[in-house]
Structures are given as C-alpha cells and as structure tokens.
Amino acid sequence: MHDHLSTSQNQERAPGIHGSSTDRAGPLPWNHAEARAIYDLPFNDLLFRAQSVHRRHFDPNRIQLSKLLSIKTGGCPEDCGYCSQSAHHDSGLKASKLLEVQRVIEEARQAKAGGATRYCMGAAWRSPKQRDMAMLVAMVEGVKSLGMETCMTLGMLSPQQAGTLAEAGLDYYNHNIDTSERYYPEVITTRSFAERLDTLANVREAGIKVCSGGILGLGEAVDDRIDMLVTLANLPEAPESVPINMLIPVPGTRLADAPPVDAIEFIRIIALARIVMPTSHVRLTAGRTAMSDEMQALCFFAGANSIFVGDTLLTAANPGDDKDSSLMRRLGLTAAPMEEAP
C-alpha cells in the first residue's frame, strides 16, 4: 500500500528543515548515515521536521485507539530477555490455556464501547499449533463481526498459517523485530532475526497488513535503535503500524536491571520513525505508565498517533482509560474513527 521507495517518502529524506531543495529523488533506500544525521538534528528542528511530515499524511489531532488482550499467557519457549511470559524466566507468571472464543469476543465488544477501533489478540507462543487454528479463525471472524479491525500476534507464522488467517479476515499481524540485527543475539537466542523477517514476509504475501516495531531500553546503543528503524523502512513495503515500546523491566527476567531510557532519546526515535516511515501509524506502546504527560505530549507532537487503551498490555500495566481520556482532552486530541484507521 505505501511503498518505502515512493515519492512521498523520498521527499522526507533531506537532513535540513528548510524547503526541499536537497531532497533526494529516485528509488533509494534509507541508510544509517542519513538516518543518524536526521536523529542528531537540534531537538527543535527534529520535532519541527517530524511534525511537518506528520501533518502531510495525518490529521495531527487524531489518535488511533487499539485494545490488546492476552488470549494465551505464559509458558513461551522463547528466551526473549525482556519478557515475563518466557518459560526461561522466573517472573512468577503462571501459564494459561488459550481463552474461549466467546470470552475474547465479549472483551472486544467492551473495547469497542470504550472507543477502540482495532482489537489485538496476543498469544505467548513460538508459533501457533495446527490444533489452535480453528479457534483463532473463530476469534478473528467474531471480532470482525463487531465492526472492528483485527490484529494478532502469535509468534512465527508459516505461509500456510498466514494464508488461513488472511482468509478469516485478519487485518493486521504484529511481529516486532525488537532491535537491530547486530544487537538482536544479545536479547534473544531461540529465534533468529532472519526468522522474524521471514514471518513479516509471509504475512505481507498473504495480504495482511504488517505491524512491526521494537523496544527501547534493552541495553542497545542509539545506533541500534536507528538501524532497527532503517530495517523496517527498507522492507519492500514499510509496516502500516510501527509500535515503539519502552522497556518495562520485569523482576525475574534477564533485563530486570536494565537502565531506563532517556526521555529525549526516546522522543528522537519517535520523530525519526515518523520521518522515515511517513505514512505508517507510529504507536506509542509499552512503558507509558513511566512517562510523564509532558513526555507523551512530545511523542504525539513528534508523530506518534496510535496508543493501546485499557489497564493492561498483555501482562504489563497501562495508564488506563480515565488517565488517557484526561490527557487527550487536555491536549485537544480525539479518537480516530474507524474509517481513518489504516
């Protein structure tokens, strides 16, 4: 839908902020050096640039609201260093079975009543088993029948599984690349970076929209964060949704003592994501409970235009509907209606 080599994206390439005389033309992918140059702009210039790009592609005062439900919690065989649901960690989280379809649909109905236009369902799996596919299909069909967009995150998908979910009407599939290819083995050893890209390719080939982003605060360098965004921007088609998470350190995981991310550095990454993927929804995801209202406001100004609503994100805390409603009201932001969601 939005090719990263399109004219609109190439118009966002110049490191400066005045005019477009230095804009590149032609089908050139992003490279690290030019992305780093944009990231390193004076903060005011970077925010001005990002907000200008944002306004060319989106209503700057609309926020897309999604709701995330854990449909199968804990017991995951992957060793992602940040995750409370990994069986490799002693986080105190008990594994559960896949939820019943009707409960998932009822939760979705409540999410829609609360203003969410997209419903995301996540399972702590390395990949779905064939015996689970019928229930997953029923969940997608049930949520779609409510008039909501559907999203799932279930681990790795084969081409056949992606095709089955596409036939059921799945709109989005989330599969984050987490960090740069260089730093990835420091975080996860049970699944390769290439395997993550393979799943994204399978999803795209099946005709499902891609949701893929990463996590800041894993111990990575700034260059790793930039490389993560460059990888996503240079996919054959940039993800329609790009979640940017701030690590929530969980006791019992390998990254429980990871140092917090600097707020200005986080906002710079949001701005860079907006610039290198101008037509993607940039979602401010995990970690918002640790962000001040002012930090979130600057993230919105830098181009973030999607959030998860509700009290929890899978197993992590989230600000909650009242706090989000208050912040959006104070900022003059409104929920994007269904037809404005990507």
Side-chain angles (χ1 to χ4, degrees):
M1 181 178 173
H2 301 301
D3 195 312
H4 78 285
L5 303 181
S6 68
T7 301
S8 66
Q9 182 135 326
N10 276 295
Q11 290 174 344
E12 319 301 352
R13 305 181 73 87
I17 63 168
H18 301 296
S20 58
S21 60
T22 58
D23 286 351
R24 282 189 179 181
L28 295 174
W30 288 94
N31 63 58
H32 180 90
E34 64 181 337
R36 179 78 205 215
I38 294 170
Y39 176 91
D40 285 335
L41 286 171
F43 191 63
N44 285 343
D45 292 349
L46 176 61
L47 291 190
F48 178 81
R49 170 92 175 266
Q51 175 66 192
S52 299
V53 170
H54 188 54
R55 284 173 178 267
R56 284 200 288 272
H57 300 280
F58 294 98
D59 182 333
N61 297 310
R62 296 286 185 129
I63 302 293
Q64 191 275 323
L65 304 182
S66 298
K67 185 69 180 290
L68 177 62
L69 175 71
S70 177
I71 60 174
K72 189 275 175 188
T73 303
C76 182
E78 305 282 15
D79 70 349
C80 306
Y82 51 81
C83 187
S84 63
Q85 302 198 64
S86 170
H88 296 259
H89 300 146
D90 185 17
S91 65
L93 186 69
K94 292 184 178 180
S96 69
K97 295 181 179 180
L98 187 63
L99 292 182
E100 293 295 326
V101 173
Q102 287 307 313
R103 179 178 170 188
V104 173
I105 296 172
E106 179 54 35
E107 293 277 353
R109 186 176 287 109
Q110 295 177 25
K112 181 180 180 180
T117 58
R118 189 179 308 155
Y119 197 66
C120 305
M121 295 159 273
W125 286 326
R126 176 176 172 80
S127 59
K129 292 182 172 61
Q130 191 56 38
R131 65 172 183 261
D132 298 314
M133 293 303 295
M135 287 183 67
L136 297 174
V137 165
M139 290 176 190
V140 172
E141 292 175 344
V143 175
K144 290 279 284 188
S145 72
L146 300 176
M148 300 183 78
E149 290 179 318
T150 53
C151 178
M152 281 187 160
T153 178
L154 313 168
M156 295 187 292
L157 287 186
S158 68
Q160 293 75 19
Q161 290 171 329
T164 297
L165 292 173
E167 289 176 10
L170 184 66
D171 297 296
Y172 282 82
Y173 193 79
N174 167 258
H175 197 63
N176 292 336
I177 62 172
D178 288 343
T179 187
S180 70
E181 184 172 12
R182 181 200 73 83
Y183 193 69
Y184 184 90
E186 301 296 319
V187 182
I188 302 157
T189 66
T190 51
R191 182 193 319 183
S192 71
F193 193 81
E195 285 177 307
R196 289 194 179 253
L197 296 181
D198 286 345
T199 289
L200 295 182
N202 292 340
V203 166
R204 181 65 77 189
E205 182 64 25
I208 301 170
K209 295 177 183 178
V210 171
C211 174
S212 187
I215 306 171
L216 276 57
L218 305 174
E220 76 286 350
V222 168
D223 281 339
D224 293 308
R225 299 168 186 170
I226 293 170
D227 280 343
M228 174 187 72
L229 295 182
V230 169
T231 295
L232 293 171
N234 286 344
L235 290 173
E237 196 170 347
E240 284 85 356
S241 178
V242 181
I244 304 296
N245 298 270
M246 187 168 72
L247 177 70
I248 302 174
V250 178
T253 63
R254 281 204 322 276
L255 294 171
D257 298 320
V261 178
D262 176 78
I264 300 301
E265 290 183 3
F266 187 93
I267 297 163
R268 282 184 177 275
I269 287 295
I270 294 288
L272 182 61
R274 170 50 63 220
I275 292 166
V276 301
M277 290 174 278
T279 56
S280 303
H281 271 67
V282 176
R283 178 177 292 139
L284 193 58
T285 319
R288 290 198 299 120
T289 52
M291 299 179 190
S292 67
D293 288 350
E294 293 79 6
M295 180 179 173
Q296 292 187 69
L298 282 172
C299 286
F300 295 137
F301 188 78
N305 62 339
S306 180
I307 60 172
F308 279 120
V309 293
D311 297 325
T312 58
L313 291 179
L314 295 179
T315 62
N318 201 46
D321 294 341
D322 290 346
K323 188 170 176 59
D324 283 336
S325 296
S326 173
L327 178 59
M328 289 177 65
R329 183 172 59 252
R330 289 158 60 207
L331 296 177
L333 302 175
T334 55
M338 185 71 173
E339 60 271 19
E340 290 188 18

